[in-house]
């Protein structure tokens, strides 16, 4: 099941192809980065919504330029303490102009959701039963303001202060 | 031949972190003298029994350690386990 | 008093953080979170599990406390611990007898005095440290603490860097005489001026002790002040992507810098920095922000104290014990007629860095009366009253003495840095406190003759006691079930930072004091006028020290 940044649950409508599986006509599928690299022309016909599954050790220079080709990118957290995909997400959003759906897969837990959402993730592969029991949607609302700029483009505390000082000075 | 070396299971209590010892049947005690001591070959079974039970488990990281008997006293083999059982070896501000 | 005061944003943020943590504890006690999942959450709030109980580490940002904050720390010690706290080598305080159930209330209480445990452990930014004399030292370019507060805020619950390969320690320094041990940190910021007179930072990366001690190297000589957050972001992003995660002991940034080489690491950072685009603007640090932050740390208005010298000189002449304390524990201040007072937490026979609730309360009161309500914590585990009028020194000395806080040993042999070791710590392989106590007692008699000497003791390879950079360093190990101690000489943590050399095979606990005596004897025999231990070591090398121990064996 997927949890959305806005707190809603929905089923996954994408099929995630293994590297030796063939897609049906017009079906929305994700493929691995390895498969994309091996035969980019095969997947460039644009007759279907195409998604990419990216492992967290692929350097930005390799995946960045092609990012806008995809409607969905799934980043992976092999263990929740492995935070490489946070930087991948920041770069996809901030530097490579990726506007599609950014999804977090793997070991996704409640207390990482806020960080993920701030780095640009839209959806999260979760155990729906546990997520409902522990009220995971609340995790997106635990803080009102933040100190750092991030992919959510919320105004930082520092910028808000600066604005209020400038208003006071006028 | 030294004293016979027994096995027992210890952990830290979830809610306050205090050192506790496994007595058996889901029961834990802060007193090492009350811990259940078994022979080496029964250690794995004792540990499995201590680890069982639904979450939240009362003890964090149940671990098998070695100890000898000295009369009524149970004395862990390693210095680390003796300090866990007896507290810091130095006087400190509080006591 | 002029210290950073939380505004509504800061207050709200910290309250939300406490509420979030309270819910995490509730979920753990209800069995919804496994210990594995909870461990990383509690560590992000400074809560460890040690040998006897939980240990809670509270951050003291840039080592500065107000008297109200120190009273808050005393209250925690009294109400929720056994009446004392332990000041660490990272300008933190830790409590060793904490119950998990109490931690949300403790943090809620500390939030009322603007203190927290955010990121005092875990694989993220740790407490930002700096020169304990910041804002009072005569030799600094500018008070580094406003930048410390800016970096503290920027690093709090950072969305991208809360799950780094390993912990990350940032240090700030603004004085030529490095009192912050810059080169043993993951990232160091040295405030400096360029040839045009503009302020900026030298950025060093890749220092750290532990299993593989390495000193930090310069990544860039000068980053303009307004770009510093963007530049640090680039340093971190490279680390987050390429730092090793397969081996805990090879995951610090120092290993990445070592394996890439500083040149390649620099190239990666500069490429990332150059590509940042709009993010650079978002992280821009305008002069107005710096100025507003500096206003919060404005120096107190010192009274005209130029007449104080005469009174002080009278007391110095009349009371040799007072004169001795002034000689070692009192340091020059930038304002005329004022002084910086270092309060020793190294009374012989007591535990290095421990401070009772009553001592904390006394220091808070003395700070209010005599030091504009300010207190500092030093990385060598002492406390500082940073702005004391010289005319008040005598009275202060009497009051400190009555509370066991006037040991005249700052920088001397009995002023030993020491981690808690196996008496408390679950990582330790040997005890360190009893070794420190034995050494201090043994050396106190001749420490004035020896002069400045830094002994640093760690109870395991993780090196919380900074043994590698001690003039004499002692590392506690376990060998065949017994404690043994490996000794190094010649280390240093100042601007000429150096790692010590191993003098021979590890020795048993009861041999440590005699061994250290012999090493000091070699130094006293070979030193030339004005040389400190590391100077002599640089000149004569390891051989004479090794020889003396071989002969003794």
């Amino acid at each position: 099941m997927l949890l959305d940044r806005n707190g809603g649950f929905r089923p996954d409508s994408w099929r995630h192809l293994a590297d030796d599986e063939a897609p049906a006509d017009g079906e929305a599928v994700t493929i691995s980065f390895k498969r994309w690299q091996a035969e980019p022309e095969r997947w460039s016909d644009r007759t279907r919504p195409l998604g990419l599954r990216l492992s967290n050790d692929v350097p930005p220079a390799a995946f960045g330029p092609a990012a806008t080709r995809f409607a969905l990118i799934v980043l992976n957290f092999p263990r929740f303490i492995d935070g490489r995909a946070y930087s991948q997400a920041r770069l996809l959003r901030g530097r490579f102009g990726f506007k599609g759906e950014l999804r977090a897969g793997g070991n996704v837990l409640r207390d990482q959701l806020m960080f993920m959402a701030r780095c640009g993730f839209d959806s999260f592969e979760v155990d729906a039963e546990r997520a409902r029991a522990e009220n995971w949607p609340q995790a997106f609302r635990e803080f009102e303001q933040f100190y750092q700029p991030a992919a959510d483009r919320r105004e930082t505390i520092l910028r808000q202060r600066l604005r209020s000082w400038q208003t006071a000075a006028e | 031949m030294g004293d016979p070396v027994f096995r027992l299971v210890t952990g830290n209590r979830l809610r306050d972190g205090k050192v506790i010892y496994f007595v058996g049947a889901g029961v834990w005690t802060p007193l090492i003298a009350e811990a259940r001591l078994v022979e080496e070959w029964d250690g794995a079974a004792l540990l499995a029994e201590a680890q069982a039970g639904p979450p939240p488990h009362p003890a964090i990281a149940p671990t098998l350690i070695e100890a000898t008997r000295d009369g009524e006293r149970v004395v862990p083999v390693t210095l680390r386990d003796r300090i866990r059982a007896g507290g810091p070896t130095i006087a400190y501000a509080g006591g | 008093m002029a210290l950073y005061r939380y505004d509504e944003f800061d207050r709200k943020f910290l309250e939300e953080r406490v509420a979030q943590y309270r819910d995490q504890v509730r979920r753990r006690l209800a069995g919804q979170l496994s210990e594995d999942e909870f461990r990383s959450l509690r560590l992000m709030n400074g809560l460890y599990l040690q040998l006897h109980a939980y240990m809670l580490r509270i951050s003291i940002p840039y080592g500065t406390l107000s008297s109200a904050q120190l009273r808050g720390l005393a209250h925690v010690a009294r109400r929720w611990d056994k009446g004392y706290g332990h000041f660490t080598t990272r300008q933190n305080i830790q409590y060793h007898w904490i119950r998990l159930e109490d931690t949300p209330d403790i943090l809620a209480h500390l939030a009322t005095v603007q203190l927290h445990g955010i990121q005092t452990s875990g694989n993220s930014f740790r407490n930002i440290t700096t020169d304990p004399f910041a804002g009072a030292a005569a030799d600094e370019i500018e008070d580094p603490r406003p930048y410390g507060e800016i970096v503290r805020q920027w690093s709090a619950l950072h969305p991208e860097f809360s799950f780094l390969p390993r912990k990350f320690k940032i240090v700030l320094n603004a004085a030529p005489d490095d009192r912050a041990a810059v080169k043993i940190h993951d990232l160091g910021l040295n405030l400096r001026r360029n040839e045009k007179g503009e302020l900026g930072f030298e950025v060093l990366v890749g220092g750290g002790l532990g299993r593989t001690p390495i000193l930090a190297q310069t990544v860039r000589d000068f980053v303009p002040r307004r770009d510093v957050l963007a530049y640090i972001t680039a340093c971190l992003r490279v680390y987050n992507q390429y730092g090793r995660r397969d081996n805990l002991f090879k995951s610090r940034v120092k290993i990445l810098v070592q394996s890439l080489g500083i040149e390649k690491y620099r190239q990666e950072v500069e490429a990332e920095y150059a590509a940042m685009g709009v993010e650079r603007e978002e992280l821009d640090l305008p002069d107005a922000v710096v100025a507003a932050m500096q206003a919060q740390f404005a120096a107190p208005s010192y009274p005209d104290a130029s007449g104080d010298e005469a009174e002080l000189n009278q007391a110095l002449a009349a009371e040799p014990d007072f004169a001795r304390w002034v000689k070692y524990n009192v340091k020059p201040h930038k304002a005329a007629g004022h002084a910086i007072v270092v309060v020793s937490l190294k009374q012989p026979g007591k535990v290095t860095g421990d401070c009772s609730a009553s001592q904390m309360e006394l220091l808070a009161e003395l700070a209010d009366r005599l030091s504009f309500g300010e207190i500092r914590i030093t990385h060598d585990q002492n406390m500082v009253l940073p702005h004391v009028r010289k005319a008040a020194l005598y009275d202060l000395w009497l009051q400190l003495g009555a509370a066991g806080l006037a040991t005249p040993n700052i920088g001397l042999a009995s002023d030993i840095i020491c981690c808690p070791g196996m008496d408390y710590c679950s990582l330790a392989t040997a005890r360190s406190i009893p070794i420190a106590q034995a050494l201090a007692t043994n050396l106190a008699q001749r420490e004035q003759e020896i002069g400045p000497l830094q002994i640093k003791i760690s109870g395991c390879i993780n090196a919380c006691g900074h043994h590698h950079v001690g003039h004499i360093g002692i590392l506690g190990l376990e060998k065949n079930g017994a404690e043994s101690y490996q000794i190094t000489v010649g280390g240093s943590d100042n601007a000429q930072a150096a790692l010590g050399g191993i003098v021979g095979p590890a020795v048993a606990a009861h041999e440590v004091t005699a061994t250290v005596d012999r090493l000091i004897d070699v130094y006293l025999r070979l030193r030339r006028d004005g040389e400190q231990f590391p100077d002599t070591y640089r000149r004569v090398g390891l051989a004479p020290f090794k020889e003396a121990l071989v002969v003794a064996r």
Side-chain angles (χ1 to χ4, degrees):
Chain A
M1 193 67 91
L2 294 175
L3 171 62
D4 275 317
R5 198 173 42 166
N6 61 20
F9 291 91
R10 64 181 160 97
D12 185 3
S13 59
W14 292 73
R15 194 151 82 89
H16 305 287
L17 290 187
D19 283 351
D20 55 1
E21 264 182 310
D25 282 347
E27 182 187 33
V29 296
T30 68
I31 55 171
S32 70
F33 181 70
K34 191 176 135 208
R35 199 167 183 187
W36 163 257
Q37 267 195 317
E39 34 181 16
E41 55 297 329
R42 173 173 174 194
W43 301 99
S44 58
D45 60 358
R46 300 191 185 259
T47 57
R48 72 178 75 250
L50 187 63
L52 179 71
R53 298 193 308 276
L54 203 55
S55 63
N56 69 5
D57 54 358
V58 181
F63 67 74
T68 51
R69 162 70 187 84
F70 300 97
L72 167 72
I73 294 181
V74 185
L75 298 178
N76 185 38
F77 292 84
R79 292 178 303 156
F80 71 89
I81 57 167
D82 183 341
R84 280 176 275 191
Y86 293 105
S87 285
Q88 287 179 317
R90 275 299 265 135
L91 292 173
L92 280 169
R93 291 296 195 210
R95 188 157 313 159
F96 301 115
F98 177 66
K99 299 277 195 304
E101 179 182 339
L102 192 57
R103 185 180 292 180
N107 191 199
V108 176
L109 296 174
R110 183 194 198 274
D111 296 280
Q112 281 73 51
L113 292 174
M114 176 192 80
F115 297 118
M116 291 175 180
R118 294 217 69 215
C119 285
F121 287 96
D122 305 295
S123 60
F124 310 87
E125 292 174 358
V126 301
D127 170 351
E129 196 184 332
R130 183 175 179 188
R132 287 201 173 95
E134 296 173 14
N135 194 13
W136 287 22
Q138 178 60 28
F140 298 112
R141 298 188 288 269
E142 286 175 335
F143 290 86
E144 231 170 64
Q145 311 279 351
F146 295 99
Y147 290 107
Q148 310 82 7
D152 54 14
R153 307 305 300 271
R154 291 163 63 152
E155 195 176 28
T156 63
I157 289 173
L158 206 61
R159 287 288 177 273
Q160 292 184 61
R161 280 181 188 142
L162 189 59
R163 216 154 31 81
S164 74
W165 297 332
Q166 282 161 348
T167 318
E170 272 160 23
Chain B
M1 269 299 278
D3 296 329
V5 176
F6 299 95
R7 297 291 185 279
L8 60 93
V9 174
T10 180
N12 288 76
R13 192 154 59 194
L14 169 63
R15 58 188 172 80
D16 60 9
K18 292 239 158 57
V19 177
I20 48 175
Y21 300 91
F22 187 56
V23 180
V27 177
W28 295 75
T29 173
L31 301 174
I32 191 168
E34 295 174 1
R36 185 158 140 213
L37 268 57
V38 300
E39 300 290 347
E40 181 186 354
W41 50 86
D42 288 329
L46 184 70
L47 181 62
E49 190 192 334
Q51 285 168 331
H57 196 281
I60 301 169
T63 308
L64 209 53
I65 64 163
E66 298 178 345
T68 56
R69 270 191 201 284
D70 176 13
E72 291 292 287
R73 292 173 59 228
V74 174
V75 184
V77 169
T78 69
L79 175 63
R80 184 175 185 277
D81 289 324
R82 287 198 295 277
I83 293 174
R84 282 185 83 243
T89 62
I90 32 101
Y92 48 92
Chain C
M1 180 191 57
L3 293 177
Y4 183 70
R5 242 169 293 177
Y6 278 20
D7 62 10
E8 272 313 306
F9 291 114
D10 299 312
R11 251 193 297 278
K12 185 103 197 309
F13 179 83
L14 193 49
E15 279 166 17
E16 288 167 338
R17 176 64 182 131
V18 172
Q20 181 189 44
Y21 175 75
R22 191 182 289 279
D23 188 57
Q24 290 166 349
V25 172
R26 182 192 62 75
R27 284 184 278 141
R28 174 69 182 116
L29 291 172
Q32 291 179 352
L33 289 171
S34 70
E35 180 58 19
D36 195 38
E37 291 168 353
F38 181 63
R39 185 189 304 117
S40 123
L41 300 177
R42 65 169 158 79
L43 289 178
M44 287 171 77
N45 236 330
L47 189 69
Y48 287 73
L49 183 61
Q50 296 283 51
L51 293 184
H52 314 289
Y54 289 94
M55 178 270 274
L56 182 64
R57 188 180 288 156
I58 300 301
S59 168
I60 300 171
Y62 33 88
T64 295
L65 286 171
S66 68
S67 53
Q69 290 176 317
L70 187 54
R71 285 191 187 94
L73 294 175
H75 178 76
V76 170
R78 236 189 253 294
R79 173 149 178 212
W80 289 290
D81 200 277
K82 295 193 175 188
Y84 70 108
H86 174 80
F87 290 101
T88 76
T89 54
R90 299 219 64 258
Q91 297 181 320
N92 292 310
I93 184 170
Q94 58 194 43
Y95 299 97
H96 285 135
W97 302 93
I98 293 295
R99 299 155 50 93
L100 173 62
E101 297 167 321
D102 293 334
T103 52
D105 290 340
I106 297 174
L107 292 169
H109 177 77
L110 288 173
T112 64
V113 289
Q114 309 184 6
L115 286 172
H116 59 72
I118 296 174
Q119 291 162 202
T120 49
S121 178
N123 296 333
S124 188
F125 300 104
R126 300 295 185 89
N127 186 30
I128 313 294
T129 57
T130 194
D131 182 353
F133 301 164
D139 62 346
E140 72 187 5
I141 295 171
E142 204 177 68
D143 187 348
R145 293 173 302 160
Y147 305 103
E149 180 57 26
I150 288 167
V151 175
R152 183 193 74 82
Q153 295 185 15
W154 167 82
S155 68
L157 303 190
H158 196 287
E160 184 177 348
F161 304 132
S162 284
F163 296 89
L164 294 169
R166 197 72 184 87
K167 59 187 164 187
F168 201 88
K169 301 170 181 174
I170 297 181
V171 62
L172 271 158
N173 175 46
D177 185 11
D178 177 2
R179 288 176 291 260
V182 170
K183 286 186 179 166
I184 62 171
H185 288 77
D186 295 282
L187 190 144
L189 296 171
N190 274 329
L191 188 68
R192 55 167 56 168
R193 283 184 198 283
N194 66 6
E195 57 283 0
K196 286 186 222 149
E198 297 156 339
L199 280 169
F201 294 94
E202 177 193 12
V203 179
L204 297 91
V205 175
L209 298 175
R211 187 165 298 228
T212 316
I214 300 177
L215 298 175
Q217 300 179 73
T218 302
V219 180
R220 219 204 229 218
D221 279 332
F222 189 83
V223 175
R225 187 171 76 168
R226 65 184 311 152
D227 296 325
V228 70
L229 292 179
Y231 199 83
I232 304 178
T233 300
C235 292
L236 263 297
R237 192 166 282 156
V238 170
Y239 172 50
N240 191 39
Q241 291 177 98
Y242 302 114
R244 284 180 63 173
R245 292 175 187 266
D246 59 327
N247 181 339
L248 194 66
F249 300 116
K250 297 189 185 299
S251 51
R252 294 279 292 273
V253 72
K254 64 188 175 185
I255 303 290
L256 177 68
V257 173
Q258 187 188 48
S259 67
L260 292 178
I262 187 71
E263 278 305 321
K264 176 76 176 137
Y265 175 77
R266 180 181 298 129
Q267 272 174 27
E268 292 281 346
V269 169
E270 290 289 339
E272 174 58 36
Y273 183 59
M276 282 175 97
V278 67
E279 212 182 340
R280 282 270 282 279
E281 293 157 36
E282 290 170 342
L283 287 165
D284 176 47
L285 193 59
D287 290 348
V289 169
V290 176
M293 199 57 92
Q294 284 171 332
Q296 299 246 16
F297 288 91
S301 39
Y302 302 105
D304 176 12
S306 38
D308 284 13
E309 299 282 347
E311 206 174 323
L312 173 63
N313 288 336
Q314 235 172 359
L316 287 172
E319 187 98 49
D321 285 349
F322 173 61
R324 178 172 169 186
W325 177 78
V326 169
K327 180 177 176 190
Y328 295 109
N329 294 38
V330 175
K331 310 290 175 188
H333 194 285
K334 65 181 178 187
H338 286 74
I340 300 170
V341 172
V342 185
V343 177
S344 174
L345 295 181
K346 318 287 175 68
Q347 195 186 4
K350 292 285 165 51
V351 176
T352 290
D354 276 11
C355 191
S356 71
S358 349
Q359 287 177 326
M360 290 185 219
E361 282 155 358
L362 172 70
L363 284 164
E365 188 208 318
L366 291 172
D368 277 339
R369 275 181 32 219
L370 304 171
S371 182
F372 296 91
E374 256 190 67
I375 302 101
R376 309 290 175 78
I377 308 304
T378 77
H379 84 268
D380 27 26
Q381 302 175 281
N382 291 310
M383 294 171 86
V384 171
L385 295 172
H387 317 287
V388 181
R389 265 184 82 150
K390 285 184 175 169
L393 285 172
Y394 185 74
D395 176 41
L396 175 61
W397 173 71
L398 288 175
Q399 300 210 41
L400 289 173
L405 292 169
T407 312
N409 64 348
I410 297 306
L412 298 180
S414 65
D415 182 11
I416 297 173
I417 288 192
C418 168
C419 73
M422 203 159 52
D423 282 299
Y424 293 97
C425 178
S426 51
L427 300 172
T429 42
R431 285 173 293 172
S432 46
I433 296 167
I435 300 294
Q437 290 176 332
L439 283 170
T441 307
N442 181 55
L443 291 168
Q445 289 306 318
R446 60 168 179 153
E447 66 183 353
Q448 289 198 85
E449 180 210 337
I450 299 167
L453 184 71
Q454 295 179 1
I455 300 177
K456 301 182 196 271
I457 308 174
S458 306
C460 81
I461 195 95
N462 292 304
C464 293
H466 299 175
H467 62 275
H468 301 105
V469 291
H471 296 177
I472 296 177
I474 298 171
L475 164 63
L477 298 165
E478 191 229 285
K479 221 158 113 187
N480 305 324
E483 294 166 296
S484 73
Y485 295 86
Q486 187 185 75
I487 300 180
T488 50
V489 291
S492 168
D493 69 1
N494 62 10
Q496 288 82 43
L499 302 169
I502 299 174
V503 289
V507 300
H510 68 272
E511 300 169 317
V512 172
T513 46
T515 308
V516 168
D517 270 338
R518 283 187 200 106
L519 296 170
I520 291 173
D521 290 342
V522 173
Y523 160 60
L524 295 181
R525 185 158 48 80
L526 297 179
R527 76 170 162 194
R528 292 179 180 162
D529 271 359
E531 271 187 352
Q532 289 196 16
F533 197 111
D535 306 320
T536 306
Y537 175 79
R538 257 193 303 276
R539 183 169 56 77
V540 306
L542 193 56
F545 295 97
K546 276 187 149 168
E547 258 161 50
L549 299 191
V550 171
V551 169
R553 271 197 302 275

